[in-house]
Amino acid sequence: MGRDVEQGAFSREDRVRYRQKVRRCLDVFALMLDDFGFDADRPTTGLEIELNLVDSSAEPAMRNDQILADIADPLFQPELGQFNLELNAPPRLIEGNGFADYEQDLRGSLSRADERAARSDAKIVLVGILPTLTERHLVEDNLSTNQRYRVLNDQIVGARGEDIELDIRGVERLQTHTDSIAPEAACTSLQLHLQVAPDSFADYWNASQAIAGVQVAVGANSPFLYGRQLWAETRIALFEQATDTRPDELKAQGVRPRVWFGERWITSIFDLFEENVRYFPPLLPICEDEDPVEVLHGGGVPELGELRLHNGTVYRWNRPVYDIMNGRPHLRVENRVLPAGPTVVDMLANAAFYFGLARGLAEAERPIWSQLTFSSAEENFHAAARRGMDAVLHWPRLGEVPVTGLVLDVLLPKAAAGLDRFGVAPAERDRLLGIIEQRCRTGRNGAVWQTEAVWAAERQRGMDRDAALHHMVQRYAELQRSNEPVHTWPVD
């Protein structure tokens, strides 16, 4: 939900009108899927990276407004917390040296932003959850000043009707509660966009769901929250709980959560938008002036603003996207399972693995989703978030298998073949997938490095947990700027 919102209170009439308008948009979308010309000739990709700001002591720096003003670059936008920014990379093809171009642009943008942040005694850290965050940081007063975040907070908390409980049981346990959605700001992600044709969307979405657990296991980078070691990718559990609009009674009734893996394989992108409308009441019932039926009948391209806004308040781990660029509509899978960091090259390795594997499985003769139950895919996802590189996942014809062996023996060749179909240069393919291979051979990703660095600080330097976390974040920030893959980082 990237749009600005000024309205803060909604009437019953607003909600009724919005519901009618959303359903009208859904009807128009169905007509468009039948016979409209979507842009799918040369599918582009996109990246969004959510960033953390820290001060010289590795504490979160609540300064995104002044830093954004200093950066003065539309590629950078505010995020939920005042210690967050978001970088939106311009869309591009990944054929040839597309990944190298991404890398050059991202490193340049981040370097310029870091220079501006330094003027405000801050620096940028790419990490799934900033390990030095505490409960005193994640409060409503530290939400970004953009009105849309305050409105969203009021709507989610109001829908729930009581404080939000956080209960995450991992290596250690965190049990607390919050009166706002501010803890969601701790979740900083790498979001990957893949443009697809309408008739192949279901294949790509199903493939993305099937491999979500593998992605999380290999890319985990969020082991600490509020000073406790929890899951390898704690971000998954935190995001699911911090935006849950359901009190216990609605959970017991089986009401769907707004952060949602889903419950079935699909046959069309329409299935997902229809589920959004059927299952989820509006959080932000804001209507546009457009009549999508009139626009469609007049030969135009409907914005479908209400349908898109509603979709932006249902937080699927693989989200369907309808968008318009240069006057032509297109569809995208937005892959949201990965954390930010540790380095630009690590994130591009994660992107190459996803884009290649999604295509390899989506275009396979026998679909993976015809062999893997949807519930197994969801169980894999949460097992991977808990255990990271040590996860054991279920895979067709292999049964229960360590994720590192699954990647090395089965999935990396499929990812390579998928990148070949995109036309990625062999040297770029091998460089980036080689990082994934070495992570699996060494058993080291961002979560592993963070936990080992904290243990070393506690045991070898005699630090308490808080001091060890601050020391680790300082060292992490130094190594991040080397752009060397995290599996090569020393623990010292």
Side-chain angles (χ1 to χ4, degrees):
M1 191 204 69
R3 58 177 291 168
D4 288 335
V5 175
E6 295 183 359
Q7 187 171 348
F10 303 103
S11 66
R12 296 177 181 176
E13 291 77 13
D14 289 332
R15 296 183 184 279
V16 170
R17 180 167 174 254
Y18 182 83
R19 180 175 286 111
Q20 293 171 344
K21 193 73 179 292
V22 166
R23 290 174 177 168
R24 190 170 179 85
C25 287
L26 186 66
D27 291 341
V28 169
F29 186 55
L31 294 173
M32 293 177 69
L33 290 173
D34 284 340
D35 58 11
F36 209 89
F38 285 81
D39 187 4
D41 300 334
R42 300 188 73 201
T44 58
T45 65
L47 302 177
E48 299 175 56
I49 308 170
E50 294 168 347
L51 318 171
N52 291 280
L53 298 168
V54 300
D55 63 20
S56 57
S57 301
E59 288 279 297
M62 307 296 176
R63 298 168 200 153
N64 67 353
D65 269 356
Q66 64 197 71
I67 291 170
L68 280 168
D70 208 4
I71 294 173
D73 183 342
L75 295 179
F76 287 88
Q77 298 292 326
E79 253 299 328
L80 181 60
Q82 292 182 30
F83 60 94
N84 297 143
L85 301 176
E86 181 177 87
L87 169 59
N88 295 282
R92 71 185 65 221
L93 300 170
I94 56 173
E95 67 182 19
N97 292 311
F99 282 111
D101 294 339
Y102 261 135
E103 185 171 2
Q104 181 178 357
D105 287 354
L106 290 172
R107 293 189 69 187
S109 294
L110 289 169
S111 178
R112 289 190 297 274
D114 234 354
E115 290 174 6
R116 303 298 193 280
R119 300 176 187 176
S120 300
D121 187 30
K123 56 189 173 184
I124 291 170
V125 176
L126 305 166
V127 65
I129 293 177
L130 183 62
T132 53
L133 284 167
T134 65
E135 289 184 80
R136 67 183 173 84
H137 298 124
L138 295 175
V139 295
E140 186 175 351
D141 285 347
N142 287 335
L143 294 177
S144 287
T145 56
N146 189 304
Q147 180 66 12
R148 74 173 183 260
Y149 298 119
R150 308 284 171 161
V151 174
L152 185 64
N153 175 76
D154 292 346
Q155 294 302 305
I156 289 178
V157 174
R160 185 179 175 90
E162 59 189 48
D163 283 358
I164 297 169
E165 183 180 8
L166 302 179
D167 188 358
I168 305 174
R169 307 180 191 198
V171 177
E172 298 167 345
R173 184 178 182 183
L174 172 66
Q175 192 171 24
T176 186
H177 65 273
T178 176
D179 61 0
S180 77
I181 64 169
E184 183 197 337
C187 304
T188 41
S189 305
L190 168 66
Q191 295 161 20
L192 306 174
H193 291 256
L194 180 58
Q195 183 181 331
V196 295
D199 59 358
S200 60
F201 183 94
D203 293 343
Y204 276 88
W205 189 85
N206 289 340
S208 298
Q209 291 286 101
I211 62 176
V214 178
Q215 286 182 269
V216 168
V218 174
N221 194 31
S222 312
F224 293 102
L225 176 64
Y226 292 173
R228 293 174 175 83
Q229 182 185 346
L230 301 170
W231 293 9
E233 190 47 45
T234 305
R235 199 182 106 264
I236 302 300
L238 178 59
F239 194 41
E240 289 178 342
Q241 295 182 22
T243 54
D244 198 340
T245 58
R246 307 167 302 161
D248 289 344
E249 294 81 3
L250 292 185
K251 294 178 188 178
Q253 292 174 36
V255 172
R256 279 83 172 171
R258 294 195 89 97
V259 178
W260 200 30
F261 188 82
E263 59 191 16
R264 63 188 176 108
W265 306 119
I266 65 169
T267 58
S268 166
I269 187 175
F270 183 82
D271 296 348
L272 301 178
F273 281 100
E274 194 272 335
E275 284 180 348
N276 290 353
V277 174
R278 178 160 28 119
Y279 294 144
F280 299 101
L283 286 180
L284 301 170
I286 302 168
C287 289
E288 306 287 351
D289 293 333
E290 176 190 78
D291 183 334
V293 175
E294 288 186 4
V295 173
L296 185 65
H297 289 168
V301 180
E303 293 283 343
L304 305 183
E306 293 81 7
L307 190 69
R308 292 162 72 184
L309 177 59
H310 190 53
N311 184 52
T313 64
V314 179
Y315 303 99
R316 297 177 184 272
W317 293 109
N318 284 291
R319 176 186 277 166
V321 176
Y322 166 85
D323 207 349
I324 301 168
M325 184 172 291
N326 299 323
R328 293 191 66 186
H330 68 262
L331 306 177
R332 303 194 305 266
V333 178
E334 181 186 6
N335 179 256
R336 301 161 50 85
V337 306
L338 288 166
T343 64
V344 169
V345 75
D346 278 307
M347 291 188 291
L348 289 174
N350 290 339
F353 185 54
Y354 167 69
F355 291 139
L357 188 54
R359 182 158 188 174
L361 294 179
E363 297 181 358
E365 289 187 12
R366 186 179 180 195
I368 186 67
W369 53 95
S370 70
Q371 308 166 63
L372 181 71
T373 66
F374 196 89
S375 60
S376 292
E378 184 173 13
E379 289 165 9
N380 284 347
F381 179 64
H382 287 100
R386 288 186 178 91
R387 301 282 294 165
M389 298 295 277
D390 293 329
V392 175
L393 307 183
H394 179 80
W395 202 254
R397 297 191 301 277
L398 297 178
E400 306 299 310
V401 59
V403 68
T404 52
L406 175 64
V407 171
L408 290 170
D409 298 337
V410 178
L411 300 183
L412 273 176
K414 295 182 184 299
L419 292 178
D420 288 343
R421 292 176 191 170
F422 277 113
V424 174
E428 281 299 289
R429 175 201 65 202
D430 295 344
R431 178 175 75 99
L432 295 174
L433 293 186
I435 292 172
I436 303 298
E437 178 186 1
Q438 288 306 309
R439 272 194 224 154
C440 291
R441 294 199 184 281
T442 61
R444 300 180 62 76
N445 59 13
V448 171
W449 184 89
Q450 287 190 53
T451 55
E452 289 186 355
V454 168
W455 294 341
E458 289 176 334
R459 296 169 187 174
Q460 297 172 18
R461 296 174 181 263
M463 295 181 177
D464 63 18
R465 175 61 61 83
D466 183 64
L469 288 169
H470 282 76
H471 173 77
M472 182 269 284
V473 171
Q474 297 277 30
R475 185 67 175 131
Y476 182 105
E478 294 171 6
L479 292 167
Q480 172 190 291
R481 280 152 182 78
S482 73
N483 202 38
E484 293 295 326
V486 71
H487 70 267
T488 68
W489 288 8
V491 176
D492 51 21

